Amino acid sequence: MSTSGTSLLKGKRVLLGVTGGIAAYKVAHLARLMVAAGADVRVVMTDAATRFVGPDTFAALTGNPVHTTVWDEPGTVLHVRLAHEVDLAVVAPATANVLSKLAQGIADDLLTSTLLESRCPVVVAPAMHTGMWDHPATCASVEALEARGVTIVGPVAGPLAAGDEGMGRMSEPEEILAAVEAVAARSTELAGRRIVVTAGPTHEPLDPVRFIGNRSSGRMGVAVAAEAHARGADVTLVLGPGAVTPPAGLHVMRVETAEQMRDAVVSAAKDADAVVMAAAVADFRPERVAEGKLKKEAGPPEVRLVPTPDILKELGESKGDRVLVGFAAETSELEASGRRKLLAKNLDLVVVNEVGREGTGFGFETNDAMILTRDGDDEPLRTWAKRELAAAICDRLAKRFG
Ligand code: CTP
């Protein structure tokens, strides 16, 4: 944590959303810490929050007017103005209600409307009773927010409202400040960098209605794209068919086949600093695509397969300064195969995925993977949340550019 003039928050415009929990009184101290760290803090309170702490307390601490409703500034669209002028948002304390609304995209007050309009990084510090925190509805909201790149700080175990004890107490203001500073540092780590990411499968047509495909959901590549974007990169996402919906703010190029993916990647990669090939590109395609639907009466078709362009190999052959990241799906000899691919395709980093076992890899939330690099910044095989693996890849990209 740093509260000196060299803080990462110096000059940053921070939206502080205060919702209705008793921990709101501690958030006055958080506001004070952020101001001391050089941030320009704009507070938005929900109605319920104003029952715990008066808006004037926050106005005095921040030197800025405190807003409580979308109608506070006749003549301006307040939630849009606020959304566009802040660099970062913190919600503390975050009630179960606001977590759920943020996860669902509900915008029924100034805070939730502002956060729905904004694309800035968001940190939330939940505070609630244990039953509410443990409830599957809250768990699902937290999971959805995390998948979208929201940073969740706490809660911790300790004394709760009404004399109870347990998990659900808001993290201390110093800890929330440290998380906010870490997010502020991360949010510009890849600023000015152009990164191309591919995600999802390719579909190689057999006839107008059939194709050869694979089980890739696109989650891994979309997680990398979202993480790079959250760190300030200009991200182009080349997305295969049927992949998960990407978050807003990326340049998305949709493709179907390996050939189309190759053309999109090669054109996007021209002025890119890095290319991350997370797509499960088909290695082969049917040589010929039947003009009409193949008919059963004609008997089983003879399908001759021919290789598709190896996009990554092509990029590796004219690599220049571009950082190249590949994925390798392996069922055995993970490290040896991964190292072979690192060299054969002239890559800087390869993520070796263990596939073929139930519960990991294609279509699942987690990946069993190892990271192999040219400079020894490796990670041994373990189970990763895809978001966490995406962060590890972006850490290494940032190091390379740093
Ligand atoms: N890739 C590519 N173009 C292809 C096929 C794959 O760019 N036509 C990329 C993938 O996006 C991935 C990496 O290359 O980053 C995977 O390499 P590949 O040799 O296809 O790996 P496997 O499919 O695991 O191949 P192998 O059969 O050699 O194990």
Side-chain angles (χ1 to χ4, degrees):
M1 181 192 63
S2 153
T3 52
S4 72
T6 57
S7 165
L8 299 156
L9 287 186
K10 196 164 174 55
K12 290 265 192 270
R13 290 159 302 183
V14 179
L15 175 81
L16 175 58
V18 187
T19 70
I22 180 58
Y25 84 92
K26 286 196 192 173
V27 173
H29 183 47
L30 174 63
R32 169 86 188 73
L33 291 175
M34 292 199 293
V35 169
D40 177 4
V41 180
R42 289 112 199 256
V43 176
V44 169
M45 302 179 77
T46 61
D47 249 355
T50 62
R51 293 185 163 249
F52 292 96
V53 186
D56 290 348
T57 302
F58 286 106
L61 287 168
T62 63
N64 282 323
V66 172
H67 296 293
T68 51
T69 78
V70 285
W71 317 112
D72 273 8
E73 254 181 23
T76 60
V77 185
L78 184 54
H79 67 285
V80 175
R81 178 172 74 71
L82 282 170
H84 293 186
E85 69 187 18
V86 294
D87 302 304
L88 204 147
V90 190
V91 183
T95 56
N97 183 46
V98 82
L99 290 181
S100 177
K101 286 203 254 179
L102 294 179
Q104 296 295 321
I106 293 170
D108 63 353
D109 60 15
L110 178 59
L111 179 60
T112 49
S113 303
T114 305
L115 291 174
L116 194 61
E117 172 63 18
S118 178
R119 293 293 173 267
C120 72
V122 179
V123 176
V124 301
M128 63 198 74
H129 257 67
T130 312
M132 295 172 100
W133 176 249
D134 284 344
H135 196 285
T138 309
C139 296
S141 301
V142 168
E143 204 175 292
L145 292 172
E146 278 189 324
R148 245 178 260 157
V150 171
T151 301
I152 316 277
V153 192
V156 295
L160 303 171
D164 291 332
E165 284 262 337
M167 179 56 85
R169 183 180 167 84
M170 190 182 76
S171 292
E172 291 304 314
E174 287 76 7
E175 206 171 309
I176 301 171
L177 177 67
V180 171
E181 289 188 319
V183 168
R186 248 195 355 250
S187 67
T188 54
E189 213 173 44
L190 293 174
R193 299 293 174 183
R194 289 168 191 270
I195 301 184
V196 178
V197 183
T198 66
T202 63
H203 287 178
E204 308 302 329
L206 278 160
D207 71 10
V209 293
R210 302 186 180 91
F211 58 82
I212 297 179
N214 61 66
R215 296 184 203 277
S216 170
S217 65
R219 281 199 196 105
M220 188 63 240
V222 168
V224 173
E227 182 69 25
H229 176 66
R231 296 186 192 209
D234 179 343
V235 180
T236 299
L237 176 65
V238 181
L239 194 60
V244 292
T245 312
L250 315 173
H251 311 286
V252 180
M253 300 171 82
R254 291 184 186 271
V255 297
E256 290 274 330
T257 64
E259 193 92 31
Q260 290 168 0
M261 185 170 277
R262 184 247 163 224
D263 292 348
V265 171
V266 167
S267 109
K270 278 202 183 90
D271 52 1
D273 299 293
V275 180
V276 180
M277 284 290 304
V281 188
D283 289 325
F284 302 100
R285 65 171 173 82
E287 186 177 34
R288 262 180 304 142
V289 183
E291 254 175 46
K293 188 181 162 206
L294 293 166
K295 289 291 190 189
K296 196 161 48 198
E297 298 82 66
E302 289 277 323
V303 180
R304 201 179 122 80
L305 297 176
V306 293
T308 56
D310 190 324
I311 307 166
L312 203 46
K313 192 148 180 275
E314 183 177 337
L315 294 174
E317 281 159 7
S318 56
K319 185 169 177 298
D321 292 336
R322 223 183 280 132
V323 179
L324 291 182
V325 177
F327 279 70
E330 307 291 345
T331 48
S332 64
E333 295 191 330
L334 270 59
E335 178 155 7
S337 315
R339 293 236 178 262
R340 259 200 308 278
K341 259 168 220 175
L342 193 69
L343 298 179
K345 298 200 182 192
N346 200 13
L347 309 179
D348 299 275
L349 186 156
V350 67
V351 177
V352 190
N353 277 312
E354 188 175 22
V355 291
R357 271 196 308 109
E358 186 58 26
T360 181
F362 284 9
F364 293 95
E365 280 299 338
T366 58
N367 253 359
D368 283 357
M370 64 172 71
I371 296 178
L372 301 176
T373 62
R374 273 185 189 261
D375 51 14
D377 199 1
D378 297 355
E379 281 272 358
L381 182 65
R382 67 177 174 89
T383 302
W384 306 71
K386 291 190 173 176
R387 189 176 34 85
E388 189 193 2
L389 186 51
I393 295 167
C394 288
D395 284 347
R396 283 162 177 78
L397 289 180
K399 242 194 239 172
R400 283 293 302 251
F401 298 138

